[in-house]
Amino acid sequence: MRQMRNLKKHRFMYMILLPGLLYFVVYKYVPMLGLIIAFKDYKLMLGFWDSPWAGWHNFTQFMQGVYFWDIMANTLLISLYKLLFGFTAPIVLALMLNEVRTEWFKRSVQTLTYLPHFVSWVIVYGLMVALLSPGDGLVNQLLQASGFQTIAFLTEPEWIRPLIVTSDVWKETGWGAILYLAALSGIDPSLYEAARIDGASKGRQIWHVTLPGIRNVMIILLILKLSNILDAGFDQIFMMANVFNLEKADIIDTWVYREGLERMNVSLATAVGIFKSVIAFVLVVGANKVAKRFDGQIW
């Protein structure tokens, strides 16, 4: 009865909430019925329901395959490099911009740094070809003019991971700094005044006032990034990978693309998607628990 009274009392609020709930039900939960394909030997001619059951075969086939450890290593290494540099770079940029007192310069730098976020990876790769191609690339022309040998940046396996991480940091740092700048604007200025009165240097003010002030935002974004630890960036790597550097660039998503769309092995591709989702769920829950445990004990 109490629930019914609350429902009646707040009926207009629930009506406002209803479209959002319907969106998630129709577009997020109903399609989850398709996960059954991961446990079947899906045949296009037999259809969704009549395809024979395969149990855990698709999962074991993926984890016991000769390619499993290679693509897992590539995915994790690229994701961890992106997490290490891509998570800290926006914080550093936001802290630097927060100290700029010339408003027009601050806004200009902020605009220039977040514009690359809107550039597609097709255009970014075109720029990289213009700069790094072994024949007429600008960087290789400078190396050749300086007496050094040219380097095949885009085809050498040892160069592909640094290029992936560097281009991702360049593209997303300015956009990621927006959230931190918004959080920095909410810090009480009197805290800085009190720190200066106590004789705190600029570094101490950042450590004891600024960083604790944006701690919650940092934790939330870290949890979100951990949930995507197995998503190393399909669009980017699909553009940059080729037959020469595939051994260092092939990740789970590009492998799923080849298996699911090129070879039409839909069941195996779906099983890998569930595998990624389970790991992401465990990482998010674990990171959230760790964040709650250490909340209030940092700095």
Side-chain angles (χ1 to χ4, degrees), residues 18-92:
L18 187 60
L21 291 175
L22 288 176
Y23 167 80
F24 280 98
V25 169
V26 174
Y27 293 103
K28 301 297 181 180
Y29 288 98
V30 172
M32 289 180 69
L33 291 172
L35 298 180
I36 299 175
I37 295 177
F39 302 94
K40 287 194 169 191
D41 183 12
Y42 180 74
K43 304 295 183 183
L44 185 62
M45 300 302 295
L46 294 177
F48 184 78
W49 298 108
D50 295 330
S51 297
W53 288 95
W56 297 95
H57 172 73
N58 293 312
F59 295 91
T60 57
Q61 182 182 355
F62 170 65
M63 288 184 282
Q64 293 177 0
V66 294
Y67 41 73
F68 176 75
W69 292 111
D70 291 334
I71 63 174
M72 281 295 295
N74 290 338
T75 304
L76 289 174
L77 283 174
I78 293 173
S79 295
L80 289 174
Y81 289 148
K82 284 186 175 182
L83 179 63
L84 176 63
F85 297 102
F87 181 72
T88 55
I91 299 174
V92 174

Side-chain angles (χ1 to χ4, degrees), residues 277-287:
S277 299
V278 170
I279 293 179
F281 176 77
V282 172
L283 287 174
V284 168
V285 173

